[in-house]
Amino acid sequence: MLVPVKWLKDYVDIDIDTVEFADMMTMTGTKTETVEFFGEGIENVVVGKILKIDSHPNAEKLVVCQVEVGEGKTVQICTGAKNVSEGDIVPVALDKAKLPGGIKIKSSKLRGELSEGMMCSANELGINEFYVDDKSKDGIYLLNDFDGMEIGKDIKEALGLYDAVIDFELTANRPDCRSIIGIAREAAVTIGKKIKYPEIEVKECDEEIDFDVKIENPDLCMRYGARIVKDVKIGPSPYWMQRRLIEAGVRPINNIVDITNFVMLEYGQPLHAFDLNQVKTGKIVVKTAENGEKFTTLDNVERTLDDKMLVITDGEKPVAIAGVMGGLNSGIKDDTTAVLFEGAAFNADNIRATSKKLGLRTEASGRYEKGICTELSITGLERACQLVEMLGAGRVLRGTIEDYPVKQEVQTLTVNPSRIIKNIGIDLSLDGFVKILEDLEFKCDLKSETEVLIEVPSFRLDIEQEADIYEEIARIYGFENIPSEQLEGNTTAGVKTPKQKFMDTIKNRATSIGLYEILTYSFVSPKSLDKIKLPADDKKRDYIALLNPLGEDTSVMRTTMMPSMLNVLYTWSTTILTSWFSLAIWFDLSFFVLNRHHYII
């Protein structure tokens, strides 16, 4: 998972070097794959404004631009880009500027006209064009729609190109870490800080929500919540939000879709936004699809569903494949004026099976299939509505409608702290034991030295037994701080048995007289018994067939090693003969070259 450090700092005060922090996270169990620094190598690049564009007198494919670069200074730049117009805000690399990859920019003449720098594309600034809008692809990076683009401002500061992004390799048992806040929890306990959760307060209008939600399959959908936003204004999200999405590996689309992706990355709770005007029945019904039912998803692909797949419907027709992807018939469009936000908790196994059957994997399905805390469903909705109001993207209706048939039970464990500390082999007090767990947001009731009652936080779906507490204590205490000691009691020395020594002697004697040892597969082809002309009634033909073989050549368990041995001999002899033949040809060619005058006619 890609985690922008600047975003992470919103929730935890990281006051140490980024590389050092990444190493510390690895030591407490959140493994760091890479650390990437944006903006490295960029110097003397500023925000500019194109004042005038003239044709190049000596080149039809070039234009000459007069560009304001701050402090009343104007420079002349020649370009062949076709996507620029007068008034555009663009990144400008001035004379003696540097770009990623060691590129240096100098003033020069292009077909006789002075060019005092270069207007930059997104790629030239180290920004993948996958994340930019169509107007900026294959051309100059247009900054017209971005806020904070002050003329003459350093481009790294204007575009936030001074951040570091850490790529964490997360294990499947920690779905809570697949979010910025999840990583922030781990970061806080790793560096000894307190996490700062976002303060969520939704400013609602007077109009009350009038909608209905029903779950027909509570074993597949444990909770479903919805909120409505009206008077929606679809447009680009602010640059700060776009930048965070880009650094986290998500392409910005529009303000409403970007809000759902932002909350998913922030909290780990996937959300979906429906065009409310396309849900004409005034209700949402969560149920399984019909066998053979056709449904076109947002990627404009028609998919065939079955009765094991959960779908979101308006009571009459599907509008989304639950936890995987929404439908083309209800997606957010430029003319959308009312939005229904969905926050739900689906069965992980069902989402995994649906995603696999359809060959459709999304950011949402990747999170749902590993498990989602049901408490996040409403939290995610509240955060999305807060952002809508913050961005001025619409009017949030009063109230939340939900169906919550399966409550998530509070998980409790009773463990023996003294035994855990002793078995790990560390010097840790009972207060220290409790502090580690409380820093991880477990609630502890220390009853005695041998008993503590632990209430597991709802987002820790991986904690099931005392063994899990061993791991929590050990990783936060520090594996590197656990002393390495010889095991106490009766231990078995690491030596070979008499039988193993005897086998080693046989192997050494055999190889010393020129024999070879071969190792072959236990799985063979049934045809191999025919090749050694084994009689039809031979007991060696009573082999065991594999239920799920890799192929016909490895489909049965061998009853004799003869076919495998002959195959090795054949392969070996073929290799030797091929080598001899190649050597003979080489000698013959050498002889021809050295004595070529004998072959001249």
Side-chain angles (χ1 to χ4, degrees):
M1 177 176 172
L2 298 176
V3 177
V5 175
K6 186 168 57 178
W7 193 355
L8 192 61
K9 287 181 178 180
D10 285 350
Y11 316 112
V12 60
D13 182 20
I14 302 173
D15 53 3
I16 58 176
D17 177 74
T18 299
V19 174
E20 181 185 354
F21 165 71
D23 290 340
M24 291 176 67
M25 290 290 285
T26 295
M27 295 307 295
T28 55
T30 310
K31 182 182 177 184
T32 299
E33 280 289 291
T34 58
V35 180
E36 181 180 1
F37 293 90
F38 286 104
E40 280 190 320
I42 297 178
E43 294 181 14
N44 205 25
V45 182
V46 301
V47 177
K49 181 178 181 180
I50 301 176
L51 302 177
K52 188 178 180 182
I53 300 179
D54 295 312
S55 299
H56 194 294
N58 304 315
E60 292 183 2
K61 295 184 177 180
L62 297 178
V63 293
V64 180
C65 303
Q66 304 301 321
V67 185
E68 182 184 356
V69 292
E71 298 180 355
K73 182 180 179 181
T74 300
V75 297
Q76 178 172 292
I77 296 177
C78 299
T79 181
K82 304 298 183 184
N83 68 324
V84 292
S85 305
E86 291 182 358
D88 282 344
I89 308 297
V90 295
V92 180
L94 301 173
D95 181 40
K96 298 180 182 179
K98 294 181 181 180
L99 296 175
I103 299 173
K104 297 180 180 180
I105 305 300
K106 295 182 179 180
S107 295
S108 61
K109 286 190 175 183
L110 291 179
R111 301 293 295 270
E113 290 293 322
L114 179 64
S115 185
E116 301 174 275
M118 181 183 78
M119 292 182 285
C120 301
S121 68
N123 275 336
E124 287 163 337
L125 294 174
I127 302 172
N128 191 320
E129 286 195 344
F130 172 79
Y131 300 114
V132 304
D133 59 26
D134 293 337
K135 294 181 295 184
S136 296
K137 287 184 177 178
D138 302 319
I140 303 303
Y141 193 20
L142 303 180
L143 312 178
N144 305 333
D145 297 330
F146 298 160
D147 50 346
M149 296 297 118
E150 180 184 339
I151 306 304
K153 193 174 187 179
D154 185 276
I155 200 67
K156 289 195 291 185
E157 183 180 353
L159 293 181
L161 299 178
Y162 50 82
D163 196 10
V165 175
I166 303 176
D167 187 2
F168 290 105
E169 181 185 350
L170 304 177
T171 54
N173 69 318
R174 291 299 305 273
D176 58 297
C177 286
R178 294 179 66 85
S179 65
I180 304 298
I181 286 180
I183 295 295
R185 291 192 194 100
E186 292 295 310
V189 71
T190 296
I191 63 177
K193 303 284 186 176
K194 292 291 184 182
I195 185 171
K196 300 172 290 185
Y197 287 104
E199 295 181 4
I200 301 178
E201 182 180 352
V202 182
K203 296 180 180 179
E204 303 171 328
C205 66
D206 292 334
E207 184 178 353
E208 191 168 354
I209 187 170
D210 182 16
F211 208 77
D212 188 36
V213 169
K214 182 182 179 183
I215 298 173
E216 290 190 0
N217 304 82
D219 54 328
L220 301 182
C221 179
M222 293 76 73
R223 189 178 194 180
Y224 192 99
R227 292 209 65 161
I228 290 178
V229 178
K230 290 189 176 180
D231 298 336
V232 171
K233 305 177 186 68
I234 301 296
S237 54
Y239 181 73
W240 65 265
M241 180 176 283
Q242 291 191 34
R243 187 64 202 165
R244 290 189 174 183
L245 294 177
I246 289 171
E247 291 179 353
V250 176
R251 181 184 179 183
I253 298 175
N254 59 52
N255 50 3
I256 296 299
V257 176
D258 289 354
I259 284 172
T260 63
N261 286 330
F262 184 92
V263 174
M264 178 185 66
L265 292 171
E266 183 181 43
Y267 276 94
Q269 171 65 51
L271 298 178
H272 188 68
F274 298 102
D275 187 331
L276 185 63
N277 295 325
Q278 301 304 316
V279 188
K280 301 182 184 298
T281 59
K283 62 181 178 181
I284 286 290
V285 179
V286 185
K287 62 180 183 178
T288 53
E290 301 290 335
N291 259 328
E293 188 171 6
K294 304 293 184 181
F295 180 69
T296 303
T297 45
L298 278 170
D299 55 359
N300 203 19
V301 176
E302 185 180 73
R303 304 181 187 277
T304 303
L305 311 180
D306 63 38
D307 60 2
K308 304 295 185 195
M309 298 178 182
L310 195 67
V311 292
I312 312 301
T313 76
D314 62 1
E316 297 175 357
K317 65 181 185 303
V319 292
I321 301 173
V324 181
M325 185 177 282
L328 190 63
N329 59 352
S330 61
I332 302 300
K333 303 177 181 62
D334 292 341
D335 58 355
T336 296
T337 58
V339 169
L340 173 73
F341 281 116
E342 164 199 282
F346 300 115
N347 180 280
D349 294 335
N350 181 261
I351 299 301
R352 185 184 303 110
T354 298
S355 178
K356 185 176 181 180
K357 285 180 184 177
L358 296 176
L360 180 60
R361 185 174 175 81
T362 61
E363 288 283 347
S365 69
R367 284 170 169 78
Y368 274 126
E369 67 184 24
K370 292 176 177 62
I372 293 287
C373 167
T374 59
E375 300 302 317
L376 285 177
S377 302
I378 302 303
T379 303
L381 283 176
E382 297 296 297
R383 179 61 165 163
C385 290
Q386 180 189 31
L387 291 171
V388 166
E389 190 276 329
M390 184 187 301
L391 302 186
R395 185 167 53 89
V396 181
L397 268 58
R398 183 157 50 89
T400 301
I401 188 72
E402 72 166 325
D403 192 3
Y404 192 8
V406 182
K407 302 283 192 301
Q408 182 175 336
E409 296 182 1
V410 176
Q411 173 82 349
T412 59
L413 294 173
T414 300
V415 301
N416 186 330
S418 297
R419 180 174 61 209
I420 292 175
I421 293 170
K422 180 180 178 182
N423 288 347
I424 294 176
I426 56 178
D427 183 16
L428 181 66
S429 66
L430 292 178
D431 288 341
F433 178 93
V434 170
K435 184 179 185 306
I436 288 177
L437 292 178
E438 289 181 342
D439 286 346
L440 290 167
E441 300 191 29
F442 292 80
K443 294 180 181 179
C444 298
D445 181 8
L446 183 61
K447 297 183 178 300
S448 68
E449 292 186 358
T450 58
E451 183 182 0
V452 58
L453 179 63
I454 299 172
E455 184 178 313
V456 181
S458 59
F459 54 83
R460 289 302 300 270
L461 305 180
D462 59 309
I463 303 298
E464 298 177 349
Q465 55 188 326
E466 186 176 84
D468 298 319
I469 303 301
Y470 275 83
E471 182 179 0
E472 296 302 298
I473 296 297
R475 70 185 183 90
I476 301 303
Y477 182 84
F479 290 112
E480 72 280 10
N481 297 323
I482 299 175
S484 178
E485 297 180 0
Q486 180 68 38
L487 292 175
E488 298 178 358
N490 296 325
T491 58
T492 302
V495 296
K496 291 185 176 182
T497 64
K499 182 179 179 180
Q500 290 172 325
K501 293 178 180 178
F502 177 68
M503 293 299 297
D504 285 345
T505 301
I506 292 177
K507 290 179 181 180
N508 290 335
R509 296 284 175 86
T511 54
S512 67
I513 59 176
L515 298 180
Y516 291 89
E517 180 182 8
I518 63 172
L519 181 64
T520 59
Y521 289 113
S522 300
F523 309 141
V524 296
S525 169
K527 295 180 180 178
S528 64
L529 301 178
D530 297 330
K531 291 181 179 179
I532 62 173
K533 301 187 182 302
L534 203 65
D537 58 349
D538 195 295
K539 290 184 178 180
K540 292 185 177 65
R541 288 189 178 274
D542 295 335
Y543 48 71
I544 298 174
L546 301 181
L547 292 176
N548 188 24
L550 296 175
E552 185 181 1
D553 290 340
T554 55
S555 60
V556 301
M557 297 290 290
R558 69 184 178 193
T559 56
T560 173
M561 291 192 290
M562 185 63 69
S564 300
M565 295 172 68
L566 290 173
N567 186 55
V568 171
L569 285 172
Y570 171 77
T571 304
W572 177 81
S573 60
T574 302
T575 303
I576 295 298
L577 288 174
T578 302
S579 301
W580 285 348
F581 183 68
S582 300
L583 189 61
I585 292 176
W586 184 84
F587 274 119
D588 189 53
L589 288 173
S590 300
F591 182 79
F592 170 76
V593 171
L594 294 173
N595 301 278
R596 60 186 181 279
H597 60 280
H598 293 298
Y599 293 89
I600 298 175
I601 299 177

